[in-house]
Amino acid sequence: MKHIEIIVPCYNEQECIAKLYIEVNKVFSQLSGYSFSLLYINDGSSDDTLVEIQKLASDYGDDKIRYISFARNFGKEAAIYAGFENCQGDYVALMDADLQHPPALLPDMIAKLEEGHDCCGARRVSRNGEPIIRSFFSRGFYRIINKVTSMKLVPGGSDYRIMTKQMADAIVSLSERERFIKGIMSWVGFDTVWIEYKNVERFAGNSKWSFWGLARYAWHGFVSFATTPLRAAVWLGICLVAATVVYAVILLKNTLSGVRAWEDTTTIILLLMLMGGVIITLLGVIGEYMARIYLELKGRPIYISKVSNIDKMVK
């Protein structure tokens, strides 16, 4: 019998904890040849998420319900890393606690692994209930990041996946502090197949992702895997120098032909403003990458566990 461990990052999801277990248990009660356990990662929740998890572990046992509770909110990426680092199943699944990732898809996803694939992911084919502006920017993000990086992120591809333990270990081997899980899963390779599903509303509560939070997450992913901004800065500088030389030649020609006088303070001011803005922008791009190097060199832990029923407590 193969064991499947399901990693569930949680942040203020007290209403969903027990419901998720019930739905997953329904799926596996009809699926022979497989056992399962849930690994809840409580990402510094301020509600009773930890209490609900501990109650569930008390009811069903520590072998069925495993959990790690962070000392504070370290973010979903850290929670996912903690889950992968502590998983023990033959197959490892990742899903949200709010039931927007339907547990009913698990049998089909497991079947794909049994066919020989390393990973099966769930891809949303509809965004019903999602704001139009968010959908527009989401599609734009996938188009841009696929063009400027070596990654091939699947539009609509969610974090809902099931994979072999080998692939999970490969993900953990990338111990960078500034993490972007979609990019990491693409970077490690392995054979990934996708199944489609329609968007599902949350079981309870509200989304923890605001528009600006998603925008920051997208920018983080872009910078984590793309060196294009740095290379673009070089080409922008070259183009501006060339444009300045051409413009200077035109001004000189007009001055020599008597069309206009060389003294033109407006031109000087505009050029100074343009060059100043470009320089500040380029320094900002370089600073963004330097800040990430600075954070990586600190070597701080990705997460700190405060409470757990797992022997391994801190990474």
Side-chain angles (χ1 to χ4, degrees):
M1 179 175 290
K2 291 184 178 178
H3 182 72
I4 298 172
E5 183 145 34
I6 303 172
I7 300 168
V8 186
C10 307
Y11 179 66
N12 293 342
E13 299 286 4
Q14 61 181 16
E15 300 95 339
C16 303
I17 299 301
K19 180 65 175 177
L20 176 64
Y21 174 81
I22 292 171
E23 294 301 317
V24 172
N25 189 52
K26 286 180 182 178
V27 171
F28 279 90
S29 65
Q30 301 174 4
L31 190 63
S32 61
Y34 299 92
S35 62
F36 81 96
S37 62
L38 293 176
L39 174 52
Y40 288 99
I41 311 296
N42 178 36
D43 186 21
S45 299
S46 58
D47 63 359
D48 289 334
T49 295
L50 178 58
V51 174
E52 292 297 320
I53 295 173
Q54 290 176 325
K55 180 180 177 181
L56 209 60
S58 177
D59 291 341
Y60 297 100
D62 291 342
D63 58 332
K64 184 68 73 173
I65 305 296
R66 305 168 71 228
Y67 63 87
I68 299 173
S69 183
F70 289 174
R72 64 168 177 83
N73 178 246
F74 283 87
K76 185 178 180 180
E77 298 294 307
I80 292 173
Y81 177 84
F84 279 125
E85 186 188 39
N86 291 278
C87 64
Q88 298 177 350
D90 299 299
Y91 295 152
V92 181
L94 173 64
M95 64 190 305
D96 289 346
D98 56 17
L99 292 170
Q100 284 194 295
H101 294 161
L105 295 179
L106 284 170
D108 292 336
M109 298 172 78
I110 293 171
K112 294 297 183 182
L113 295 190
E114 297 295 355
E115 290 175 5
H117 300 286
D118 298 304
C119 176
C120 179
R123 174 178 174 268
R124 286 190 299 177
V125 293
S126 71
R127 292 182 174 270
N128 296 333
E130 184 176 274
I132 297 176
I133 187 69
R134 180 179 294 186
S135 299
F136 172 78
F137 280 106
S138 177
R139 289 191 294 269
F141 166 73
Y142 282 107
R143 283 196 295 267
I144 293 172
I145 199 167
N146 284 336
K147 285 184 178 296
V148 301
T149 69
S150 59
M151 296 185 299
K152 296 301 177 185
L153 300 186
V154 177
S158 68
D159 292 336
Y160 186 17
R161 309 189 189 200
I162 186 168
M163 66 195 72
T164 61
K165 185 64 165 59
Q166 181 187 18
M167 181 173 175
D169 291 341
I171 292 172
V172 174
S173 70
L174 275 67
S175 58
E176 57 208 58
R177 269 59 188 169
E178 295 293 309
R179 304 182 67 80
F180 178 61
I181 190 62
K182 285 185 172 65
I184 289 174
M185 287 182 176
S186 173
W187 189 90
V188 297
F190 292 92
D191 177 26
T192 300
V193 66
W194 296 88
I195 63 174
E196 299 179 346
Y197 76 103
K198 293 183 179 180
N199 191 47
V200 179
E201 295 294 327
R202 289 177 57 90
F203 170 72
N206 299 313
S207 173
K208 310 307 183 296
W209 289 97
S210 65
F211 174 79
W212 291 112
L214 288 171
R216 287 193 297 271
Y217 181 67
W219 171 249
H220 167 66
F222 183 76
V223 174
S224 295
F225 283 88
T227 57
T228 305
L230 292 174
R231 292 169 180 164
V234 175
W235 286 106
L236 178 60
I238 293 173
C239 291
L240 285 173
V241 170
T244 302
V245 171
V246 171
Y247 188 49
V249 170
I250 293 174
L251 287 178
L252 179 61
K253 179 181 178 182
N254 290 340
T255 300
L256 295 176
S257 62
V259 174
R260 61 181 298 177
W262 179 262
E263 297 81 15
D264 192 341
T265 55
T266 301
T267 301
I268 296 174
I269 292 173
L270 289 175
L271 286 173
L272 287 175
M273 291 177 63
L274 174 63
M275 296 304 297
V278 169
I279 291 171
I280 292 173
T281 300
L282 299 185
L283 288 175
V285 171
I286 296 171
E288 180 71 23
Y289 283 88
M290 290 183 64
R292 293 173 185 275
I293 295 172
Y294 170 70
L295 292 174
E296 291 294 328
L297 289 176
K298 280 179 174 290
R300 290 175 176 172
I302 297 174
Y303 69 91
I304 299 175
S305 176
K306 182 179 180 181
V307 181
S308 176
N309 63 352
I310 302 176
D311 292 336
K312 199 169 189 177
M313 294 289 289
V314 178
K315 169 62 179 176

